[in-house]
Amino acid sequence: MTDPSQLDQLCINTLRTLSIDAVQKAKSGHPGTPMGAAPTAYCLWQRFLRSDPEEPNWPNRDRFVLSAGHASALLYSLLYLCGVKAASPSYKESDRLAVTLEDLKTFRQIDSRCTGHPEYGWTSGVETTTGPLGQGAANSVGMAIAERWLAATYNRPGYDLFDYNVYALCSDGDIMEGVCAEAASLAGHLKLSNLCWIYDDNDITIEGSTRLTFTENVAERFSGYGWHVSHVDDANDLDLLTQCYEKFLNTHDGPTLIIVRSHIGYGAPHKHDTKEAHGEPLGDEEVRLAKMAYGWDPDAQFYVPDEVPAHFRDQFGRRGSAARLDWNEQFAAYRQHFPELAEQIDQMQQGDLPGGWDSGLPEFPADAKGMATRESSGKVLNSIAGKIPWLLGGAADLAPSTKTHLSAEPAGEFQAPGQGGDYSGRNLHFGLREHAMCAIASGLSQSKLRPYAASFFIFTDYCRAAVRLCAMMELPVIYIWTHDSISLGEDGPTHQPVEHLASFRAMPGMILIRPADANEVVEAWRAIMPIKNRPVSLVLTRQAVPTLDRSKYAPASGVARGAYVLADAEDQQPDVLLLGTGSEVGLCVTAYEQLKSEGIKARVISMPSWDLFEAQSQAYRDSVLPPRIKARVAVEAASSFGWERYTGCEGARFCLHDFGLSAPAKVVAQHFGFTPENIAAAAREQITKHSSSTSGQRD
């Protein structure tokens, strides 16, 4: 076949039929969007996308994000036909394709590389996990920010190491989602001209026509955000698609939205433009009819004409390979001229830390008045940032409160040039956009930067979907959540977290650390920074907490093990265990001293991280929490959910069972009974209870 237009159409129809067959064989999936959007994706990949199938992770590749994750069969078909190689530790075979034809045949089945929605880290070529709509689009903003920062920080005259573009294919549902609006607004403000969203406007959602709920003018909305908007009235018009992509490449003062009018279920005579094409297989007969409409053998399944992979290799593959080889040569020369900068890029790509990164961390002297852990965290953060140039981040309009502004020179503000900063700034300003902030942080992390994102702990309610996906993707994002309990005081129950600690502890893959004082904060950061494959939530106080005297009590280095014996009976044979986290550890210490003066042997256990503690050996855990000691009191100004694991059913859990209260912090604490006297009383009751129980057993 020599006619270029016929070859283009053959490739497009191969994408369609592979997607149809994968869904039909699985008896599950979403065939309609791949059928309608295949030309849009084909034109981008074949004519513009710069990515080397032999090295799909090379740093300066263009990124393609399938925000419409339900159309995953389209992405898997592209990866297969383009010959993208496996480049993830999750693959056991060292030399195989990221997606094989056999993988497509096992779409949505256990262990297949073709999962129901794309999963980052599992299938090479998948830039981010998508499925929950809007998330991928917001991730793409993080990737675009990362490119701008990398270019501003590391490019030098004659060495454009970073100049990649970021494309995201979005659905009607993506454009409806609030996180998408947040991210688009920020991208427009930042004038991210390296970002292109392609809106597959097929007018259909699960319930039916989008006219049921969605009648706004999307083009005007995005124009208001500061985006350039182009239109393609027919997704099958490759010439107009090409013009729009070229226009994007020649736009330098803002992001681009290309609105492409498509037909869901294109070619299926009875399901074309219907909701039935969205989320269920077409059915055997409709599959045959659709294939006939494409000029395809209606009985052929997973058929790939020889010309199709060859055509992808000739354009997509050749272009990406040439770009990557040129980049390798350029980077080798760059390394000779700028060895320190090249070493930083190497460390970033590997997730390594510079030597001596933790030298000079602050040490805090004992102080009964102490300081808020958010304050000490801010000091530690700035110390570390001085050693790790690619540590960057910000807050959702709360940096002065979360103490997360980087003040050391030359941190600077990340802004479009002329807006009070430039793209080399390390202080990101997200505005009141918690959800987008966390999704963007994931995109930054996927670009190998080390981001942090900060807000009040209560406002994690706004961003949990993005945080959950971050944990699923095993990204080492650092979350800094402050104002962590009822002790924030006067703002009242609307701002006082109660169930949030339990919620984050329940999230697989998330490490939560709630340090007790300034020196535990130092050790928390020392534990956080080397982590490469899990996000961390650092939960901090608004109010001052005592800085414990470490000459009297155990060193804070025990934080690295999640829990440690802070204070103990002189003979290390306590009668009761006092377990606490964060600001309540100080209360436990005061209660311990009171009990000690009465001749009662107690042990205080600081438990800043259940996750880290559970990773320790059984012997260590038993040494901290001796199984023989049943008298236990857990103290935490939050929901008691989960503490049974450590107190047993008969232990006392000094926690919250209601929302908070608007009053000064000390009044709130007293109202809910968080005093050393009450903790000591609970300890005595536990000793009595379990002593009588033990006595009864002996009798």
Side-chain angles (χ1 to χ4, degrees), residues 561-632:
R561 306 188 78 170
Y564 66 103
V565 177
L566 176 63
D568 205 359
E570 290 184 3
D571 62 357
Q572 299 182 350
Q573 298 295 319
D575 296 319
V576 63
L577 307 181
L578 307 179
L579 295 70
T581 77
S583 50
E584 289 71 69
V585 171
L587 298 178
C588 291
V589 170
T590 303
Y592 161 86
E593 295 292 353
Q594 182 176 328
L595 293 168
K596 184 178 180 180
S597 70
E598 299 170 15
I600 297 175
K601 297 190 296 181
R603 170 181 290 183
V604 177
I605 299 151
S606 178
M607 299 191 70
S609 178
W610 295 9
D611 309 281
L612 295 179
F613 184 58
E614 290 298 325
Q616 306 305 310
S617 68
Q618 186 66 52
Y620 176 77
R621 284 181 282 154
D622 288 347
S623 73
V624 174
L625 299 172
R628 66 175 182 80
I629 302 174
K630 306 300 183 184
R632 302 182 179 196

Side-chain angles (χ1 to χ4, degrees), residues 427-506:
N427 286 297
L428 304 181
H429 299 274
F430 295 101
L432 293 164
R433 304 182 182 99
E434 292 87 357
H435 199 174
M437 172 182 70
C438 291
I440 288 168
S442 291
L444 293 168
S445 181
Q446 288 160 331
S447 307
K448 305 303 182 182
L449 305 184
R450 192 66 187 276
Y452 62 86
S455 188
F456 291 175
F457 199 23
I458 193 72
F459 297 141
T460 58
D461 288 342
Y462 283 125
C463 56
R464 185 175 178 85
V467 174
R468 182 178 186 271
L469 284 176
C470 178
M472 190 181 298
M473 291 187 281
E474 300 180 346
L475 299 174
V477 173
I478 303 165
Y479 300 110
I480 301 170
W481 310 126
T482 68
H483 296 58
D484 69 342
S485 75
I486 56 172
S487 290
L488 64 86
E490 292 87 346
D491 279 343
T494 59
H495 283 52
Q496 294 167 350
V498 174
E499 71 277 21
H500 299 69
L501 287 172
S503 172
F504 272 74
R505 286 170 179 151

Side-chain angles (χ1 to χ4, degrees), residues 542-563:
R542 177 197 186 194
Q543 78 280 12
V545 293
T547 303
L548 299 171
D549 184 350
R550 297 294 171 166
S551 67
K552 183 177 181 181
Y553 303 112
S557 56
V559 168
R561 306 188 78 170

Side-chain angles (χ1 to χ4, degrees), residues 5 155 221 234 320 327 360 368 419 460 470 481 484 565 661 671:
S5 64
N155 286 2
R221 170 155 70 99
D234 180 3
W327 189 89
Q419 294 187 171
T460 58
C470 178
W481 310 126
D484 69 342
V565 177
L661 179 72
H671 174 81

Side-chain angles (χ1 to χ4, degrees), residues 81-102:
L81 294 176
C82 289
V84 174
K85 293 293 184 66
S88 166
S90 68
Y91 290 88
K92 295 179 181 178
E93 306 93 330
S94 59
D95 185 21
R96 60 155 281 175
L97 294 178
V99 172
T100 66
L101 194 60
E102 288 305 310

Side-chain angles (χ1 to χ4, degrees), residues 107-163:
F107 177 56
R108 287 182 163 235
Q109 307 306 305
I110 190 169
D111 294 331
S112 174
R113 297 291 164 175
C114 298
T115 51
H117 292 85
E119 295 183 19
Y120 175 80
W122 177 246
T123 306
S124 294
V126 171
E127 296 286 0
T128 187
T129 296
T130 56
L133 293 174
Q135 295 295 328
N139 292 158
S140 75
V141 175
M143 296 174 191
I145 289 173
E147 186 280 332
R148 284 292 180 252
W149 185 86
L150 288 164
T153 304
Y154 293 103
N155 286 2
R156 293 294 183 269
Y159 296 97
D160 290 331
L161 289 183
F162 298 100
D163 61 356

Side-chain angles (χ1 to χ4, degrees), residues 43 98-99 125 130 170 179 289 380-381 386 433 576 581 602 606 619 643 649 680:
C43 185
V99 172
T130 56
C170 306
V179 66
L289 294 173
V380 180
L381 171 61
R433 304 182 182 99
V576 63
T581 77
S606 178
W643 273 107
C649 293

